[in-house]
Amino acid sequence: MSDDVQGQTEAPEHDSKPGASGASAAVMDNSRRKPLLIGLAVAVVVLGIVYLGYHLLIGSRSVSTDNAYVAGENAQITPLTQGQVVEVAVVNTQPVRKGQLLMRLDDADQKIAVAEAEANLAMAQRRYTQSRAQGSAAGASATAKEAAIPEAQARLVSAQANLAKARTDYQRRASLDGSGAVSGEELTSARNALAAAQASVSQAQAGLSQARADAVSARQEETASRAATQGLAVNEAPEVRAAMARLANARLDLARTVIRAPIDGVIAQRTVQVGQRVTNATVAMVVVPVEQLYVDANFKEDQLGKVRSGQAVEVTSDFYGDDVVYHGKVVGFSGGTGAAFALIPAQNATGNWIKVVQRLPVRIQLDPRELREHPLRVGLSMEATIDLTSGGR
């Protein structure tokens, strides 16, 4: 009995221990959960404050994109005259300076054209000299013909005097006709002399008219002859100037057989070989101006609200990494997005239209000094960050 009672009394004590430990564990879990939740809430608040502070203090002061590439205004080397290539002085990737020899064409045809143009010029100058001489000769001839007019006038006066004498003689003899004082032969002779005098007067008058007409014609010929050279030096005459222009064109074609670099840069896409015949439309090579490159950065449309021309830009290249930072400025914006100028523009007027954020190319001018120190190449990937607080216009 005592053992049973003792067992009964001890059993509750043994059964009460597990319940007590479970309650204490639940109390401990609740006490740990609350600090964890509070810590998590604090972390979320701190992260929100950090993000808000970054957006207000840093994120809103700049915009950036890695959709940017190096570009440049390449110079296409196109011969301005045709001929066979006899020399190519450069190869791809070779740096060149402005005025450096790139290639040379066979100039035999151009030299012949220059010689022919020089001969034509000399002939035109000689014709001009001859025209002036003809004008002077025509003037002398006109003067001589004008001098013949007084002589013809003198002959007319002499003929008129002879006519008056012959008329007087005839009238005197005619008045004595029938009186026997003048024979019929004398009267006939006087009549013939009168007719001859009258003919001489007519002839003298015709001679005077002819002399005057000849003088007028000679003077007109002189005017026409001098018109082509009047008031003009030899190199101002139209025919001579035309010949000089043809000579200058021939010399220009000859000079164009030697092709030189128009800008500083690097040779790319050389396609000509020695012996090849080229024409005015042949692109022989391309010169890339490595010191005048720029960056086309394609920013999202919702990034450009505060971007202005003239704002400062920091640009890094995948080629050099973040250790090399280029400094530039915004110089302009494209006239449309890339999608607007695509070969097949997007057709947004459809039932399954999905809005896509568009990108607008922004032109960034780089510092030439930094380009010389760390040269770039067309097409390299870049990352551009525009400082929105740097002003601009």
Side-chain angles (χ1 to χ4, degrees):
M1 293 285 297
S2 62
D3 293 337
D4 294 338
V5 172
Q6 184 177 5
Q8 292 176 356
T9 57
E10 291 178 358
E13 293 179 1
H14 180 74
D15 293 339
S16 63
K17 289 182 180 180
S21 64
S24 62
V27 171
M28 291 178 64
D29 290 342
N30 291 332
S31 63
R32 291 177 181 176
R33 186 180 304 163
K34 185 175 181 180
L36 290 176
L37 294 176
I38 294 174
L40 180 61
V42 171
V44 170
V45 172
V46 170
L47 289 175
I49 294 174
V50 170
Y51 174 79
L52 180 61
Y54 174 82
H55 178 72
L56 294 177
L57 300 178
I58 299 176
S60 62
R61 301 173 61 125
S62 64
V63 291
S64 61
T65 182
D66 59 358
N67 189 348
Y69 305 93
V70 179
E73 301 297 338
N74 300 333
Q76 290 188 345
I77 307 303
T78 304
L80 299 179
T81 186
Q82 61 182 3
Q84 185 180 23
V85 179
V86 296
E87 180 185 359
V88 181
V90 294
V91 297
N92 282 329
T93 73
Q94 178 179 338
V96 294
R97 288 294 179 183
K98 181 178 180 180
Q100 182 175 337
L101 176 66
L102 300 181
M103 56 185 293
R104 193 187 307 272
L105 305 181
D106 183 16
D107 57 3
D109 294 340
Q110 286 76 9
K111 287 182 177 178
I112 293 174
V114 169
E116 183 178 0
E118 290 175 344
N120 291 335
L121 175 59
M123 187 179 299
Q125 292 172 336
R126 180 167 297 183
R127 283 197 298 266
Y128 172 84
T129 304
Q130 184 178 1
S131 296
R132 296 203 66 168
Q134 288 176 349
S136 300
S141 177
T143 302
K145 291 184 181 300
E146 288 174 348
I149 294 176
E151 182 180 354
Q153 289 175 338
R155 285 196 296 269
L156 176 59
V157 171
S158 177
Q160 288 174 342
N162 292 333
L163 175 60
K165 181 177 180 300
R167 183 178 292 114
T168 302
D169 292 342
Y170 172 74
Q171 290 175 351
R172 184 183 306 118
R173 286 173 174 79
S175 63
L176 297 176
D177 187 24
S179 64
V182 177
S183 63
E185 184 180 355
E186 289 181 354
L187 183 60
T188 300
S189 178
R191 185 182 293 112
N192 291 338
L194 176 61
Q198 289 175 340
S200 296
V201 169
S202 298
Q203 185 178 3
Q205 288 176 340
L208 177 60
S209 298
Q210 183 64 42
R212 288 174 175 171
D214 290 344
V216 171
S217 177
R219 192 60 68 185
Q220 290 176 346
E221 289 180 1
E222 178 196 7
T223 302
S225 180
R226 291 183 182 275
T229 59
Q230 187 69 31
L232 296 175
V234 60
N235 290 334
E236 296 176 353
E239 292 184 359
V240 175
R241 293 184 65 180
M244 292 174 64
R246 288 189 291 269
L247 176 58
N249 185 62
R251 287 174 174 170
L252 183 60
D253 286 341
L254 177 60
R256 285 172 173 172
T257 59
V258 178
I259 302 171
R260 301 184 181 276
I263 57 175
D264 297 343
V266 174
I267 299 298
Q269 300 180 3
R270 200 200 88 175
T271 59
V272 296
Q273 303 295 334
V274 174
Q276 179 180 348
R277 184 172 182 81
V278 296
T279 63
N280 297 357
T282 303
V283 179
M285 62 190 72
V286 174
V287 179
V288 180
V290 293
E291 295 184 4
Q292 301 176 13
L293 299 178
Y294 53 84
V295 172
D296 282 334
N298 302 302
F299 283 90
K300 296 180 181 179
E301 54 187 321
D302 55 5
Q303 293 180 298
L304 299 175
K306 297 181 181 179
V307 177
R308 301 290 183 271
S309 294
Q311 290 177 339
V313 186
E314 290 188 354
V315 185
T316 58
S317 169
D318 293 348
F319 187 75
Y320 294 106
D322 296 337
D323 295 336
V324 177
V325 179
Y326 297 89
H327 298 85
K329 64 179 180 179
V330 176
V331 295
F333 303 85
S334 175
T337 64
F341 295 114
L343 183 61
I344 303 178
Q347 297 296 326
N348 295 330
T350 58
N352 58 350
W353 173 75
I354 299 176
K355 181 178 180 180
V356 178
V357 177
Q358 301 297 319
R359 290 181 179 269
L360 186 71
V362 176
R363 178 67 55 85
I364 299 172
Q365 180 181 345
L366 300 178
D367 187 350
R369 180 181 57 82
E370 295 177 347
L371 281 174
R372 285 192 296 269
E373 294 176 355
H374 299 91
L376 295 172
R377 294 297 183 267
V378 174
L380 292 179
S381 299
M382 308 290 285
E383 182 173 350
T385 301
I386 301 176
D387 184 1
L388 300 178
T389 64
S390 59
R393 58 182 186 280

